[in-house]
Amino acid sequence: MFVAAGHRPGLGAPLRGRVAVVTGAARGVGEALARRLSDAGMSVALLGREKETLHRAAGSLPNPTFCVEADVTDRAALESAAGRVERGLGPASVVVANAGIATGGPFADTPADLWQRVVDVNLVGAANTARAFLPQLARTRGYFLQIASTAAFGSAPMMSAYCASKAGAESFALALRGEVEPEHIAVGVAYLHWTGTDMVAGIDDHPVLSALRRNQPRFARRVHTPDQVAAWLASGIARRAHSVYAPPWLRWCQPLRPLFPAVVARITRRELRRHSPSELAADLTVLGAGGRADWNAHRSANRPTDQP
């Protein structure tokens, strides 16, 4: 256990000297969280797709780091990464399944392979991450944190792949928790709201999705910096929390979850009537630089080669 019952030391005390693994660590929340955990005294392994960006992020951290360029949808690559992390830093005590991408637009107009890629990275990638590192977490009695989203609270039209994958990731983590508790592994789910990453900037460019944000209460529209979100996540990791809310007021939304789909549907019906189908499907691509890097690498790896 990181924290004894009834004892709440500073962030560094329960984490210092241990090993953390963060996927999707090249930029955004993943990079900010890697920094927070390193500042708390952890050795951090950064996993991601953007090699140069990943090494640049690792190079600025104060404690020992280890970089692995890996696709979370590739089970063999993650198994190899887990072995390299253990040999380089030691067995992981904390694993954060943070890697995620999104696309916005009508389901019928979204290319099937793009839709599936979002689900593969966000859901299958999380399961692959857990599968690769659970043996280490069993030995360290560690903690697995699944990064979910308020997209799991109420599914938003034009974000079907992202919402389905985040709801699935939440459900996966809750199921996993019951299975691994006898091995003294704790599993947490983090619910993130509006966070100032390039992914959110892309969402604000979409008329229906920006309307969803515009129709939320003022306090709920606030965009939090990746560093602030990372601080909330790091605090939850130190406490081995079952649920981490970023921002904390989201915990009070849990009892209201049955109401959200109807509210979201009402707002989106109104906005959909204001825009033509061509407007809504004008820019069907992956949101954010990190997502585009993954999508481009995936397409390059799966592009048919000329046969002799």
Side-chain angles (χ1 to χ4, degrees):
M1 296 287 288
F2 297 161
V3 183
H7 184 49
R8 306 188 75 171
L11 178 62
L15 302 179
R16 188 173 296 114
R18 297 176 182 268
V19 175
V21 176
V22 182
T23 66
R27 61 177 69 243
V29 171
E31 178 189 8
L33 180 57
R35 179 174 301 281
R36 284 276 177 174
L37 296 178
S38 184
D39 287 342
M42 300 195 79
S43 298
V44 183
L46 295 83
L47 274 62
R49 292 302 299 267
E50 302 169 86
K51 185 176 180 180
E52 291 184 6
T53 308
L54 200 65
H55 281 270
R56 188 161 55 247
S60 64
L61 300 185
N63 276 307
T65 60
F66 195 85
C67 287
V68 182
E69 186 181 12
D71 177 358
V72 294
T73 69
D74 185 336
R75 291 195 306 272
L78 277 182
E79 291 290 345
S80 173
R84 292 173 61 188
V85 169
E86 184 167 15
R87 291 189 297 272
L89 296 177
S93 291
V94 171
V95 175
V96 183
N98 168 72
I101 62 174
T103 186
F107 169 75
D109 296 311
T110 304
D113 55 346
L114 174 56
W115 197 95
Q116 181 172 331
R117 183 62 185 172
V118 174
V119 175
D120 284 347
V121 171
N122 298 358
L123 174 55
V124 179
N128 288 344
T129 301
R131 190 182 301 278
F133 285 96
L134 277 179
Q136 295 180 34
L137 293 177
R139 295 199 299 276
T140 61
R141 298 190 172 191
Y143 178 73
F144 179 83
L145 180 62
Q146 174 63 58
I147 303 298
S149 165
T150 50
F153 286 11
S155 295
M158 306 292 159
M159 293 288 285
S160 61
Y162 185 77
C163 292
S165 63
K166 287 301 185 178
E170 176 196 33
S171 185
F172 162 69
L174 295 176
L176 181 66
R177 178 184 296 161
E179 295 182 23
V180 300
E181 278 182 339
E183 300 180 67
H184 306 286
I185 302 173
V187 175
V189 181
Y191 299 94
L192 276 57
H193 198 43
W194 299 110
T195 305
T197 64
D198 50 9
M199 182 188 295
V200 167
I203 288 174
D204 279 349
D205 291 337
H206 196 284
V208 175
L209 301 178
S210 62
L212 285 174
R213 179 163 170 260
R214 188 171 62 249
N215 281 276
Q216 291 177 347
R218 182 181 297 273
F219 71 91
R221 296 199 300 266
R222 181 180 176 186
V223 177
H224 298 278
T225 67
D227 188 60
Q228 176 62 77
V229 171
W232 287 319
L233 296 178
S235 177
I237 289 170
R239 294 181 286 110
R240 295 167 64 91
H242 275 190
S243 299
V244 183
Y245 297 96
W249 59 258
L250 284 174
R251 71 175 61 253
W252 306 113
C253 294
Q254 284 282 20
L256 303 176
R257 286 178 66 163
L259 303 176
F260 291 158
V263 173
V264 170
R266 181 177 180 180
I267 294 171
T268 53
R269 278 198 301 269
R270 183 180 66 223
E271 294 300 323
L272 286 170
R273 286 195 293 267
R274 296 177 179 176
H275 301 279
S276 68
S278 59
E279 286 181 290
L280 297 173
D283 188 23
L284 282 169
T285 185
V286 180
L287 302 176
R292 288 192 294 272
D294 173 84
W295 178 235
N296 291 336
H298 172 70
R299 286 194 301 175
S300 295
N302 291 276
R303 184 175 294 130
T305 57
D306 295 331
Q307 298 296 321

